[in-house]
Amino acid sequence: MADDARPPFLDRPTPSLSAWFDPPTDAAWEAAAQAVLKGRSLDRLAAWLPGGIRMPVVSDGVPDPGPVDAAPFTRVGSDRTQTGWDVRARVDRGDAVQVAADARHALALGARSVALGVGPEGADLTPDRLAEALAPVDPMVTPVDLDVADGVAWREAFLAWAAPAGADATGALVLDPVRDAVAGTPWHGEHVSALADHLDALSDHPWIHGLGLSALAAETSGADPVTAMAMVLAGLDGVWRAGVTVPWARVLVRMAAPQDPFAGAAAFRAMRSGIARLAVVHGVALEGRPFLHATAHPGEQTRVEPWTNALRGTGSLAGAVWGGADAVTVLARDHLAGGSDAARRLALTTHAVLSGESHLAAVADPGGGSRHLEALTDRIARAVWAAASEIVAAGGLSAWTEAGGLSDAIASAQAARTARVATRRDAIVGVSRYGRPGAERLPSSSSSIVRNAAPFEAIRDRVVAHGSPVRVALVTVGSVGRHRGRAGFAADWYAAAGIETVEVSSEDADHDWAGSSGVLGACVCGHDEDYPAVVPGLLAAWSHLPYRAVAGAPGEHEAAWRAAGLSDVLVLGADAVEGLSRALDQMGVAPLA
């Protein structure tokens, strides 16, 4: 087509959909939010993250994260836009034969590397059977991360297996001051000497990591993410202060990836920037970058409704990849029971879906520049650096641990975590929220992992051990519109303990529920305005029931209603673990032995 025949409409300016609106400002947004909150403070919408990090509704002063793949390495990923991330399969059950079968299965399903866990909560292996266990793994192609406490025998066995690959062998066989501190054996002079000897023995294998720092070990023992990441920096600081030469690109950091992808992405970005800052302090060249291995947080897994663990693993994977983790392990949904073949397959398929269909690695640092993510990264990095500085000021990681710093930090984190979980502020889908009586349950295990869902699972175990269903009647007052909200809230409350609910009208309150339906308690669900006229009569009609509750705060009527036989009140933000335990006591459900 000739230029003079160009259609006129092509030269018209493109209309802007936002031209009709005023330019967005923080003040305008806050005014709109205040109108919805009806004068209440915006702080009600602020989020609190583990470690005491507060995220305001509007983040000010977003820092410049810097370029991709350059110091301070907050942003990485350009090298993975074509190849994707390292899919690392966890192999940690049975003897050498079982390990070999699991490794073969994982590699056939797309795993690029293998993490072999050995010990009380891992595979039952000895160094002399390592080659048999790793027989399906080609050392020239597949990295192996051998997770053992220490031992020259393991190093010799590992290097003998990797010998065909020579200097090209890749993987990890690390000594780890953070893991040892958590285990109760803080490092001293002999441990630093052992590290120097270990690194020297690996000097001909530049692609095998010899120093590890496991924030994962600290978090699964109960520490909050900020403390765990601070221990990584303090541990690395101690190694470099001792004069051990470890290029920062040969440092392996193991981290727990939370189910919240934004918190996970920010944590991995903050971890790299913190290590870069520490390297600058010690004059270590910023060549390459430390290797970050993310594992879906074991402490977030549940025994009840284990299929929900697959959803948590998906969020963990997304956050780890967005944050630039180099290798990611998604645990089987029934990992707490050893991990079935089908569940392990699903875990590996999650990588394939997010990589091949969602193209999660197609963009380097996809969250870069996001106001929320950059502000969150900055807050985590500052909190971690401050916590690490306190550890170093206390004499270093070992001195801090021996002085009770770690135990105090774990106790503080556990108290805060327990409060958030018990009040259901941190909801656990399938357990504390949206639960089902009679839901699938994995068997109990002797794992030492500190898990969020454990308090609710203990209550549910108590109900199951009762032998017969535990039921509560939800007695509704008024029309559906007036009782629906509180009836749903009460049903969800009791379901967290595995207690069944049956919904009946207040007009049937004189029915002998205990005799015909096995109901051991009742809860009134309705509108505050309807309660004064009906609750006293209902309490009297249920005198044969050992447990009688009201959904909603009774206000000025509470004292009178309790005198009339009211057992408990269900309110938003109450301690559900304590309330449900108290209800079971009153209904005669025996505690677990």
Side-chain angles (χ1 to χ4, degrees), residues 361-373:
V363 178
D365 189 36
S370 160
R371 188 170 192 174
H372 173 71
L373 184 60

Side-chain angles (χ1 to χ4, degrees), residues 247-260:
W248 85 314
R250 294 196 65 182
V251 174
L252 168 66
V253 179
R254 295 188 175 111
M255 296 180 64
Q259 61 182 319
D260 179 349

Side-chain angles (χ1 to χ4, degrees), residues 324-378:
D326 299 282
V328 187
T329 299
V330 176
L331 300 176
R333 65 180 180 85
D334 55 0
H335 172 74
L336 297 174
S340 62
D341 289 342
R344 289 171 181 253
R345 180 188 185 95
L346 178 61
L348 289 169
T349 302
T350 305
H351 290 272
V353 172
L354 266 64
S355 174
E357 296 186 15
S358 300
H359 303 287
L360 214 60
V363 178
D365 189 36
S370 160
R371 188 170 192 174
H372 173 71
L373 184 60
E374 297 298 354
L376 183 55
T377 300
D378 182 65

Side-chain angles (χ1 to χ4, degrees), residues 66 78 87 128 133 200 291 318 330 455 485 491 505:
S78 60
V87 179
D128 60 297
D200 184 62
F291 192 93
V330 176
S505 171

Side-chain angles (χ1 to χ4, degrees), residues 133 146 528:
L146 180 56
D528 288 342

Side-chain angles (χ1 to χ4, degrees), residues 27-48:
W29 185 92
E30 290 182 16
Q34 288 287 7
V36 174
L37 292 172
K38 299 179 180 178
R40 289 172 291 184
S41 173
L42 276 175
D43 287 342
R44 293 172 59 91
L45 303 181
W48 286 91

Side-chain angles (χ1 to χ4, degrees), residues 105-467:
H105 182 252
L107 294 173
L109 291 174
R112 298 186 182 183
S113 62
V114 173
L116 173 55
V118 178
E121 297 185 9
D124 182 17
L125 280 183
T126 53
D128 60 297
R129 300 198 65 185
L130 181 63
E132 178 185 356
L134 295 179
V137 184
D138 184 350
M140 300 187 69
V141 177
T142 306
V144 171
D145 179 356
L146 180 56
D147 186 7
V148 294
D150 53 23
V152 175
W154 281 109
R155 183 174 68 224
E156 292 176 347
F158 185 74
L159 292 180
W161 166 79
D168 294 329
T170 60
L173 179 62
V174 301
L175 299 186
D176 187 338
V178 177
R179 178 185 60 195
D180 291 347
V182 171
T185 56
W187 279 21
H188 294 288
E190 65 275 14
H191 296 91
V192 176
S193 298
L195 173 63
D197 294 341
H198 181 68
L199 295 174
D200 184 62
L202 296 177
S203 59
D204 293 334
H205 301 83
W207 304 109
I208 296 180
H209 296 96
L211 172 64
L213 299 149
S214 183
L216 175 66
E219 283 203 58
T220 54
S221 296
D224 63 68
V226 170
T227 299
M229 294 166 66
M231 291 176 68
V232 168
L233 294 185
L236 184 56
D237 176 80
V239 169
W240 280 339
R241 282 180 185 271
V244 179
T245 302
V246 186
W248 85 314
R250 294 196 65 182
V251 174
L252 168 66
V253 179
R254 295 188 175 111
M255 296 180 64
Q259 61 182 319
D260 179 349
F262 295 101
F268 286 98
R269 298 166 98 244
M271 186 79 268
R272 273 193 310 274
S273 66
I275 297 176
R277 183 177 179 182
L278 185 65
V280 171
V281 170
H282 286 278
V284 177
L286 299 180
E287 297 176 357
R289 65 172 188 258
F291 192 93
L292 268 57
H293 174 202
T295 298
H297 203 317
E300 293 180 344
Q301 289 218 324
T302 66
R303 287 197 300 112
V304 176
E305 299 283 32
W307 61 268
T308 60
N309 293 327
L311 303 179
R312 297 183 185 94
T314 303
S316 298
L317 173 57
V321 173
W322 290 342
D326 299 282
V328 187
T329 299
V330 176
L331 300 176
R333 65 180 180 85
D334 55 0
H335 172 74
L336 297 174
S340 62
D341 289 342
R344 289 171 181 253
R345 180 188 185 95
L346 178 61
L348 289 169
T349 302
T350 305
H351 290 272
V353 172
L354 266 64
S355 174
E357 296 186 15
S358 300
H359 303 287
L360 214 60
V363 178
D365 189 36
S370 160
R371 188 170 192 174
H372 173 71
L373 184 60
E374 297 298 354
L376 183 55
T377 300
D378 182 65
R379 284 174 181 263
I380 292 176
R382 290 177 183 275
V384 169
W385 188 264
S389 299
E390 292 181 3
I391 296 175
V392 173
L397 180 61
S398 296
W400 175 76
T401 302
E402 292 173 333
L406 176 57
S407 58
D408 290 345
I410 289 177
S412 176
Q414 185 66 7
R417 182 184 303 111
T418 299
R420 293 196 308 271
V421 170
T423 57
R424 305 196 299 173
R425 181 178 178 87
D426 285 358
I428 305 175
V429 174
V431 182
S432 67
R433 295 298 313 274
Y434 315 109
R436 294 184 303 131
E440 178 187 356
R441 295 161 58 248
L442 298 176
S444 299
S445 68
S446 57
S447 173
S448 61
I449 295 172
V450 176
R451 293 186 305 106
N452 297 345
F456 282 99
E457 291 171 349
I459 297 175
R460 189 176 285 256
D461 290 343
R462 181 179 172 183
V463 170
V464 172
H466 183 63

